[in-house]
Amino acid sequence: MSLDFKQKISRTITIEGVDQRMLFGQNDVFLRLLETHFDCSLVARGEKIIVEGTLAEVQKVLRLIGDLITRLKQGDVLSEQYLNYAIGMVQENGQGPAGEISTETLLTGMLKKQIKPKTVGQTKYVDAIDKNDIVFAIGPAGTGKTYLAVAVAVAELKAKRVSRIVFTRPAVEAGEQLGFLPGDVKAKVDPYLRPIYDSLYDMMQPEKIKKLIEHGIIEIAPLAFMRGRTLNEAFVVLDEAQNTTGPQMKMFLTRLGEKSRAVITGDITQIDLDRNRESGLIKVQKILKGIKGIAFVKLTSRDVIRHRLVQGIINAYEKHDRKGRKG
């Protein structure tokens, strides 16, 4: 007998092994959120949830609730951000993401904050860094490209697997040139490197960062300062790599010395170079594809971990750009 997926049914699930208040959300807000995304009604009664709706929708909701329970058992705290991510995954491929997201903490930051991947894409990114000497992370803003690279770099330094960290990025944004900015070199480049400082301050005490910078163990400098150097036993992060030219990218990659590793991050939808100059991040994907020890990881709007509206903004712009190309 074939199943009628449009038939209305009712299923009851008993919540075991987790605090149902954390699963349901304050005033059952998470259950209400599920109702807005699925053609179902959800009623919480003690340790039970009654799900009513079409067979197809009920099955999705039950899988999603199972995913949320798994996430709670992994020791995570459910948030609206994660719930929206899990909803998207279930609607897209029928399964929640909890089983594919790493539970391993990369680093314990300030205020005992545990820093670890929050999406499947981020897990693949961190795995790639662990298994390769050079990793390119390409994706939109808010996907954790820079933040996770900084976290891994700090963790590697603390574990004494590298002797120093080098953070760099091209000082080209919105056509602004360093020579037109006031102050000495540090004053000129710091605005470009602020995202790296912000990530570091989330992971280490400011006094500790200052001391490590003074001793050259942490270096934060514009890409132009890398020319002619050889970086040994270093974890090197090149941020905003979409704004490198082809020669600049080659120059950076050939700086790596013995026992060094590199992570290169960028968003190819946010290129600030002149139109007649090809981004080194786009070009390098064609040149280095397939080389063992080098990995390319693509992150998407699904991996956005900023404000809930950021994912919608990115999707809207991508849709607009696609219409523009077709038109």
Side-chain angles (χ1 to χ4, degrees):
M1 183 177 68
S2 62
L3 296 174
D4 183 0
F5 283 86
K6 294 183 179 180
Q7 177 186 355
K8 294 280 186 177
I9 64 167
S10 175
R11 293 287 186 270
T12 300
I13 181 171
T14 301
I15 308 304
E16 297 177 339
V18 298
D19 186 338
Q20 63 263 33
R21 292 171 300 179
M22 296 180 67
L23 178 64
F24 301 162
Q26 187 175 10
N27 298 322
D28 296 343
V29 64
F30 292 160
L31 300 186
R32 303 290 76 81
L33 184 60
L34 293 183
E35 288 179 330
T36 65
H37 287 275
F38 298 95
D39 185 17
C40 287
S41 66
L42 291 89
V43 178
R45 291 180 179 170
E47 296 182 349
K48 298 182 184 295
I49 301 177
I50 301 170
V51 185
E52 295 182 349
T54 64
L55 178 58
E57 293 292 277
V58 168
Q59 287 179 340
K60 290 179 183 178
V61 170
L62 293 179
R63 290 194 197 104
L64 181 56
I65 292 173
D67 178 89
L68 300 179
I69 291 172
T70 297
R71 192 66 177 163
L72 287 171
K73 288 181 176 179
Q74 290 172 343
D76 212 359
V77 176
L78 290 185
S79 64
E80 184 177 342
Q81 183 183 69
Y82 178 80
L83 190 57
N84 281 317
Y85 175 59
I87 288 169
M89 293 290 285
V90 168
Q91 290 177 330
E92 190 173 290
N93 55 36
Q95 297 294 331
E100 298 181 65
I101 299 177
S102 173
T103 59
E104 183 177 350
T105 299
L106 297 173
L107 187 72
T108 300
M110 301 296 292
L111 303 177
K112 296 185 178 181
K113 176 183 177 182
Q114 290 190 332
I115 299 170
K116 53 188 174 182
K118 293 185 177 180
T119 70
V120 175
Q122 288 186 356
T123 297
K124 292 178 179 178
Y125 175 29
V126 172
D127 286 346
I129 296 174
D130 184 53
K131 296 174 183 176
N132 298 273
D133 287 337
I134 299 176
V135 174
F136 292 84
I138 302 168
T143 50
K145 304 183 300 296
T146 302
Y147 192 79
L148 288 174
V150 174
V152 174
V154 172
E156 292 289 285
L157 182 65
K158 287 187 173 183
K160 301 186 185 304
R161 287 189 284 267
V162 296
S163 60
R164 59 177 167 157
I165 306 172
V166 178
F167 298 111
T168 185
R169 65 188 298 188
V172 178
E173 295 193 39
E176 208 169 43
Q177 300 298 319
L178 288 176
F180 292 103
L181 296 175
D184 58 15
V185 172
K186 185 178 187 303
K188 289 180 178 182
V189 302
D190 272 1
Y192 296 100
L193 301 167
R194 179 50 52 189
I196 294 173
Y197 283 107
D198 289 343
S199 296
L200 279 174
Y201 289 142
D202 207 23
M203 301 171 195
M204 303 174 72
Q205 291 282 356
E207 296 80 9
K208 179 70 171 177
I209 296 170
K210 183 180 179 181
K211 184 177 178 181
L212 292 173
I213 290 175
E214 287 175 351
H215 286 81
I217 296 173
I218 291 180
E219 181 180 352
I220 306 175
L223 182 59
F225 285 32
M226 298 297 109
R227 189 173 299 278
R229 302 176 59 187
T230 300
L231 303 172
N232 294 316
E233 296 185 16
F235 196 105
V236 192
V237 178
L238 170 58
D239 195 31
E240 299 290 345
Q242 75 276 4
N243 287 329
T244 62
T245 62
Q248 284 176 326
M249 178 64 76
K250 179 182 177 183
M251 179 273 291
F252 169 78
L253 292 172
T254 54
R255 298 309 93 203
L256 291 185
E258 293 184 3
K259 299 180 182 179
S260 285
R261 301 162 64 195
V263 176
I264 299 95
T265 72
D267 177 2
I268 57 175
T269 69
Q270 297 288 331
I271 297 172
D272 295 316
L273 296 171
D274 295 337
R275 290 174 179 259
N276 60 346
R277 304 171 79 186
E278 184 180 16
S279 167
L281 185 58
I282 292 177
K283 188 174 182 179
V284 77
Q285 295 178 68
K286 308 168 190 174
I287 297 173
L288 300 184
K289 183 180 180 181
I291 296 180
K292 188 175 182 180
I294 299 177
F296 290 87
V297 178
K298 301 290 180 69
L299 298 167
T300 71
S301 60
R302 280 265 183 252
D303 300 298
V304 170
I305 54 171
R306 291 182 181 171
H307 190 284
R308 62 182 178 80
L309 291 177
V310 173
Q311 186 180 94
I313 291 168
I314 291 170
N315 289 335
Y317 269 95
E318 288 178 349
K319 183 178 179 180
H320 178 270
D321 290 344
R322 284 195 298 269
K323 284 184 177 180
R325 287 193 293 270
K326 289 179 181 179

